[in-house]
Amino acid sequence: MATIKITTPLTPEKARTLKSGDSVLISGVIYTGRDAAHKRLCQLLDEGKPLPIDVKDQIIYFVGPSPAKPGMAIGSAGPTTSYRMDAYSPRIIEQGLTGMIGKGKRGPEVIEAMKKHGCVYFGAIGGAGALLSKCIKKAEVVAYEDLQSEAIRRLEVEDLPATVIIDAEGNNLYQWGREEYLETLNK
Amino acid sequence: MREIDAKQITDIVARLCVEANRHLAGDVKNCIQCARKEEPWPIAQEILDRIIENFNIADENEMAICQDTGLACVFLEIGQDVHVNGSIEEAVNAGVAKGYTEGFLRKSSVAEPLQFRKNTLDNTPAMIYYDLVPGDKIKITVAPKGFGSENMSQIKMLKVSDGAEGVKNFVVKVIEEAGPNPCPPIVVGVGIGGTFDKAALLAKKAIIRPLEERHPDPYYAAMEAELLEKVNALGIGPQGFGGKTTALAVNIETMSTHIAGLPVAVNINCHVTRHKTEVL
C-alpha cells in the first residue's frame, strides 16, 4: 500500500479522500490535547466562549508527552487511548476539526460526527513514543500550561507516521483488518 | 541485625525508575523479536519493526520508551533481619520524585481520584507493595505501569463450578473486549485464587515475572501455553490492525482460596512491559 503525504491544514474535502488502512506521513502544524484539555474546551463551548485554538481544518493529537531533555524539542510522544475523548470529540469535530491521532476504539457518536463533517481518525503506534518524538521538530504550549503534560501544544511535525483507522465513511481498520487476517487462516 | 540507611533505598529507586523507563528488559525485547519472526501478516510485521526501532531509539538516546512512564509500582521484599534507619515509604517516594524529575519522565500521578485530580508534579506517591521474607537483604523492583493497558484489566469472582473452562473463557473475553486499546502486543497477567484483592495482586505480580519463565506447576504452565495460543487466535494483532501477535506471554500466578470461591483477575500490560530489580 502506498504511503500518502499529508500537509496540514487538512480540509474536509481532502480528509474524505483518505481511506481506512492508508499509511500516511503527516507534516505541518498539529495540536496536542487529551482528557483535561478536552474537558476545558467543551466547557468553553457550553459557555459560548471562543476556543484558545482555531480547530477548523486542524488535527488534534491525543498525547501527553514526557518532558524534553535539553536540546530536544519534546520528550517521548506517542498516542494515548482515544475512547476517553469520545465524550468530547463530536463537539470539537462540529467546530471544524478534520483529524484526530490516537490509538484504540472510538464510539458510534464520534464516528457519526466524523462522517457528517468530514473528519478522519488516524492511529499512531501506541508505545512508540521515542520513535514518534523524532518527527516533532518544534513544540510550544499554547493553552492550559497548568495542565503540565496535558496542556495544549502547537507541534511542528515532519513525516509523522500514522495509519487511517476510521475514514470519513466510517470504515474501520480495527474491524476489517482483523477479519481479513482471520480469513487467511481459514484458507 | 543488618542496618541500612533509608537514603540507600532512595538512590536505588531513583536509578531503577530511570533505567526501567528507558531500557526495555531483555526478556521483553527477545519476545518481541521472536514474535516478529513468526508474524505472517504484513501490516503486523511493519508495526513490530517500528516497535523494535522504538526501543532501540530509546536505548541509544537515553529517553523514555513510551511517554506514559506510568505510576511507579515499587515492590519491596524486605528481609526480616534488616533494620532500616528512617522511613521506608518516604525513602521510596523520594526516589520516585528524584528519578522522574531528573530522568525527564512524565509525571502522571493525581493526588485524589475524583474531586480535583491535581497532579502531584513529581509522580509520587509510589504504589508500594511490601513482602516480608527471610534473610537480611532488600529486593527492590520498580515496575512503571502505564494506564492504557491498566484500564483494560478486569476481575471476576467466578463460581467454583465454572472451573478451568470458566477461567480460560474469562481471560479470553477480557482480551477480546480490550481489542486495540491496551497497545498490543500485550503481556497478560492472570491471578487465580486468594481473595478479591489478593487475586488482583497476583495478576500484577504475574506481569512482572520474566516472560520466558513458566508457572512451576505443569498444570498451570500448560494453561499459560493454551491461553497464549487462544489469545493469539483472536486475530487482534499488533495495534489491533490484525495479525497473529496479540500477546507476547500469558503469566499465571496462583494461591490458596476459600472453599466457595474462584477469584480471577486479569491485569494487562502493553509491549512496553517495564521492570527493573536491584538487591540491597
Side-chain angles (χ1 to χ4, degrees), chain B residues 89-152:
Chain B
E89 187 181 336
E90 281 172 22
V92 168
N93 281 324
V96 168
K98 182 175 155 68
Y100 274 76
T101 305
E102 293 176 2
F104 300 93
L105 306 176
R106 198 180 80 184
K107 291 79 180 169
S108 311
S109 175
V110 292
E112 48 74 45
L114 213 47
Q115 201 179 359
F116 304 112
R117 293 188 66 87
K118 196 167 165 30
N119 197 301
T120 62
L121 302 181
D122 60 7
N123 218 45
T124 64
M127 299 289 133
I128 309 179
Y129 308 80
Y130 300 94
D131 276 314
L132 269 180
V133 297
D136 65 355
K137 304 263 193 290
I138 298 181
K139 185 176 171 189
I140 304 171
T141 298
V142 174
K145 186 65 177 76
F147 255 55
S149 55
E150 192 76 357
N151 282 335
M152 295 296 113

Side-chain angles (χ1 to χ4, degrees), chain A residues 34 64-70 72 75-79 81 83 103-105 124-131 133-134 148-149 161 163 165 173-174 177-178 180-182 184, chain B residues 40-41 47 50-51 53-54 57-58 61-67 104-107 121 148 151-152 176-178 180-181 183 233-236 239-244 271-272:
Chain A
R34 47 173 289 160
S66 57
K69 285 169 80 173
M72 292 178 78
S76 200
T81 324
Y83 72 89
K103 54 119 176 161
K105 293 181 254 192
I125 298 179
L131 181 139
S133 78
K134 297 278 165 203
Q148 308 288 325
S149 68
T163 306
I165 296 177
L173 174 61
Y174 290 142
R178 186 178 169 194
E180 274 193 8
Y181 166 73
L182 290 174
T184 63
Chain B
W41 194 237
I47 299 290
R50 288 232 169 102
I51 284 172
E53 191 186 346
N54 181 66
I57 291 173
N61 294 274
E62 291 285 340
M63 66 185 294
I65 310 159
C66 174
Q67 76 292 335
F104 300 93
L105 306 176
R106 198 180 80 184
K107 291 79 180 169
L121 302 181
N151 282 335
M152 295 296 113
E176 169 118 52
E177 283 176 13
N181 290 3
C183 294
L234 290 173
I236 294 166
Q239 296 298 305
F241 297 169
K244 184 183 175 202
H271 57 87
V272 189

Side-chain angles (χ1 to χ4, degrees), chain A residues 121-162:
Chain A
Y121 174 48
F122 302 99
I125 298 179
L131 181 139
L132 290 161
S133 78
K134 297 278 165 203
C135 309
I136 299 168
K137 303 302 169 189
K138 206 173 155 193
E140 61 170 324
V141 173
V142 290
Y144 310 142
E145 190 155 18
D146 62 301
L147 293 179
Q148 308 288 325
S149 68
E150 294 202 60
I152 294 180
R153 287 170 170 80
R154 179 186 185 275
L155 304 182
E156 288 177 24
V157 300
E158 217 173 273
D159 291 338
L160 185 100

